[in-house]
Amino acid sequence: MTRRRSRTILTTVAGLTTAGLLAGCSAGGSTGRPDEVDLTVSVWGEVARADLYQEVLDGFVETQDDVTATMEFADRGPYFERLTTNAASRNLPDVFWLTDTHFGRYAGAGALLDLTPYLGEQIDVDNIGEDWLPYGEYDGTVYALPSHFNGQAVLIDQVVFDERGIEYSAESWDDLADLAREMARTDEGYYGIIDPTVGITQRPFEAWVRQHDQELFDEEGQLGFDEDLLVDWWEYWAALRDEGVAPTPDVQIESDSQGFTNDLLVARKAAIRLSSATHLNQAGVLRDGGLALLGYPEIDGVAEDWRFYTALLVTAAANTPAPEVAAALLNTLVNDLESAEISKISMGTPTPTSVSEGIAPLLSEDDQEIIAYLNEERSNPTRPTPVLPETSEQFTASLTRFSQEVAYGRMSPAEAASALFSDADRYL
Amino acid sequence: MKRVLAHVAIIAVGIGMIYPLLWMVVSSVKPNDEIFSNPGLPSAWTLDNYVVGWDAVGFPFLLFLGNSALVAVISVVGNLFSCTLAAYAFARLEFRFKKLLFAAMLATLMLPFQVILVPQYILFNNLGMVDTFLPLLIPKFLAVDTFFTFLMVQFIRGLPRTLDDAAAIDGCGPFTVFTRILLPLMRPALVVTAAFTFIWTWNDFLSPLLYLNSRESYTVPLALNAFLDSEGASQWGPMFAMSCLSLLPVFLIFLFAQRHLVNGIATSGLK
Amino acid sequence: MFLLPWLIGMIGITLGPMIASLLLSFTDYNFLRAPEWVGIDNYARIFADDPRFLTSLGVTFTYVVVSVPLQLAFALGIAVLLNQGLRGLAFYRSVYYLPSLLGTSVAIAILWRQIFGADGLFNQLLGLAGFEDLPNWIATPELALGTLITLNVWTFGSPMVIFLAGLRQVPSELYEAAAVDGAGRWTRFARITIPMISPVIFFNLILQMIGAFQTFTQAYIVSGGSGGPVDSTLFYTLYLYQKAFRDFDMGYASAMAWILLLIIALFTWLAFATSNRWVHYGED
């Protein structure tokens, strides 16, 4: 804690008003590591996950001389709130987790450690692979490592498909809609497919956009897709909603409200869900399995490199007093097989193939299926998304809000799309 | 007959009041997979959630209850001490800029806390107090909870001023008037302050989140949050079980306090 | 001397951060970089170019106007009822306070869905009464705010307890004297109780009003921080919070905070200005 205190820098304004009380001093770049190091490590999630990473951290500390480490954790919302507050006080944890949504903001502000000096030294680059390193780059410099990744996938209730004697097959988006119609039992309140538009994540829309060889955001941080693409997307789902194949927005929003707890697939009230690969585990645990992981519908011959996104970026604070130790810990989190055997796939699939294949035998059937699915998809090329603009979360929230406007029938898809684009001019 | 009706009315409203609570208590003794799928009574009663929840956060839950109790009790002492002093000054004494200072005090209530969170954190961080209980406790001794100061100002102003005047004629200074005359009469307000301080501190999530990092210093709300995973599967059963458990002390405190609230006046000699 | 701890706290802990936020409201500040002075730009953006600001004001005003009188009336009514000599009242008092103990806990989001969700208790009761095609109250934009108002009324424990404390301060001989004069129950309530506890009513009114303007935790928990569906529960402070901690626009959020302070101050001033007509202090 004393060390944490020593690297405080006052923000100008707070300094002006509270200067009388405070004796702030800035810690410059440190050269050479101090004799004793106490790392603060911060992760998000519930206690079961935190325990796994505590074990990883304990293992790491044992390999180091004169290093101690403290880990803190909180659910994701509070985690980022605390991180923001820490950042404002130049008191970031030494090593911590980020998502792609926050990466650009922290990297752009110079809050993250430039990892370049440690690549090939403490950090084993070859193991991670050239394809993956760019996911942690900002302006051509590596500030974070993509320790885990995840992929777009479709989850289905295999039990119901088997009962009805239907084979899942959906090459195109039209196939998917037809299959959902076939699976729905509108009179019994059983839905063919879950509406992915009104919830808080917008990964399915991201897949839709990238399949069209576009991006949510371009290199300049402006919207990188056509307005028509969004209109088509909303019209696609509006049609399924109108037929009762996808749920009405009130049903959908309620089921989205508590993670997977109330999910319609978990409650056995829907047959198909556009998802991420790791959801097989998260949803499967809650309903005793019976789910299957399958490929997305595609748009023929347009793009093959749309599938993956980073589930987790691990990074270090720019002002950590022991950057070498922090870099070594980052390497452990990404590359160390023994550590991965403890943390398993709690955060997605480990990026290095050697690690993900190395831990596979230890995993549950569902988890093995996730890794097999993602490794198979890895034969496809990858396309790192451009670094998200600082206000990307505002866009996501706005997309959700306008999707709800459409779903509740308060706006037509075309009206909502043009409103979203003009709204985006305010913050992008 | 009238009494029976009154009881029936009170009980009917009461059931509506505590339905969510009953739901939580019942859920806490259900097998995990029945919590959301079975709205009625559990198929089998189980204390598993209590057993699992007690140790799940790495330390026995008793530690978190203890931390919360420690913070809450010291906060009560702090608020009782500092808020009564300030309230007495505002209600009874004359000094320069009184109106201005009073307005300033009320203004602190009106600014949303969200915007002073970060500057306050910077302040305490620079004082080296992060990961200690101090940032949670120090403000209580400095009458930062305007709610209670204002509450007591209103109560003191409700008391007849003739009492002070009589005492002053007998030669009592302001301090004696305060401790001998007013404090005993303010007992209901003091009990309210103590009870609310305890309960609100007990439930506070945001300040402990920012200022307490290591698990051994967690308070109850932080420990409860450790069961939640907004992206995946939260451990609702243990969460509800420990929630019920942590409601017990505050409920007892309230039961105790309200008795004093009722008896307080009888012995206070207002007659 | 009595004021000393308060003065230290005010200047040291409250005033510094308050002034910091006032200054920040004239800057562009994203927590990570040093604040940059932009003059009244934030205020200009709020008033000229932010439809969601108006939405959040609307939601908040509706909430204040509806829920504060309802909650206070409820709290006072129950407090008077519980102040009678009925047996077992200690127990009831505690039971009625229970919801307030839960009011800000994370479990409330789940509990509230158990009541106002599509298959919730409320709909089951209405179903028994013969109603059909019942809505999902929480996830319907037109109704969601109503459930939060209900939640606020439901947690009426704090003002109730303060009313009780106030009622306890009313000297009983006043009632006895009035009863001798032949005053009925309602007359005694209107002529003795209300005037005698008017400082406490005033306190509750001011504090509940300020609290309602700043409603945050319950709205945050129930909507998961989104203010949805479609901004129907986008409370002012929830929007402010989104601006600060989701969008990292602390300058903008600070400006919003000071606008809210002025709004609340105006209403509080109005309440104080009219208070000498109906609030009676023992010192008069």
Side-chain angles (χ1 to χ4, degrees), chain B residues 6-7 10-11 13-14 16-21 23-24 36 85-86 88-90 92-93 95 101 104-116 118-120 123 139 141-143 147 150-151 154-155 157-161 175 178 185 188 192 196 199-200 203 236 239-240 247 251 254-255 258 261-262 265 270, chain C residues 2-3 5-6 8-10 12-14 17-18 21 31 81 85-87 90 92-99 101-102 104 106-107 110-111 114-115 121 154 156 158 161-162 165-166 168-169 171-173 199-200 202-203 206-207 210 214 216 237 240-241 245 250 253-254 257-258 260-261 264-265 268 272 281-283:
Chain B
H7 271 288
I10 293 177
I11 292 172
V13 179
M17 287 287 119
I18 61 168
Y19 169 80
L21 222 89
W23 186 88
M24 188 167 89
F36 292 99
L85 287 184
Y88 175 67
F90 278 122
R92 284 295 205 252
L93 302 182
F95 49 89
L101 287 174
M105 180 183 79
L106 284 184
T108 64
L109 267 182
M110 300 173 195
L111 193 70
F113 71 90
Q114 288 88 348
V115 291
I116 60 171
V118 168
Q120 246 171 21
L123 173 70
F141 284 88
L142 300 175
F147 182 94
F150 187 32
L151 173 76
Q154 288 302 98
F155 266 85
R157 295 182 73 183
L159 295 170
R161 189 158 254 201
F175 191 75
F178 172 61
L185 289 176
V192 169
F196 283 9
I199 291 160
W200 292 348
N203 286 336
W236 293 115
M239 207 293 263
F240 287 137
L247 269 182
F251 185 64
F254 184 79
L255 212 64
Q258 66 94 18
L261 197 62
V262 177
I265 214 70
L270 192 72
Chain C
F2 288 94
L3 219 50
W6 177 79
I8 298 174
M10 178 76 187
I13 296 178
T14 318
M18 272 182 84
S21 78
F31 296 114
L81 203 63
L86 282 173
R87 219 177 252 247
Y92 293 134
R93 268 194 287 267
S94 304
V95 165
Y96 280 27
Y97 193 76
L98 269 174
L101 293 181
L102 261 187
T104 54
V106 279
I110 301 289
L111 298 176
Q114 296 305 315
I115 298 184
L121 175 78
W154 184 67
F156 63 89
S158 307
V161 167
I162 293 167
R168 286 279 140 189
Q169 258 189 350
S172 53
E173 54 265 43
V200 177
F202 182 66
F203 169 84
I206 298 275
L207 266 297
I210 294 178
Q214 298 182 353
F216 174 73
T237 47
L240 184 158
Y241 172 87
F245 288 94
M250 191 60 181
S254 300
W258 280 86
L260 184 65
L261 181 135
I264 297 177
T268 310
F272 268 94
Y281 292 111
E283 58 203 23

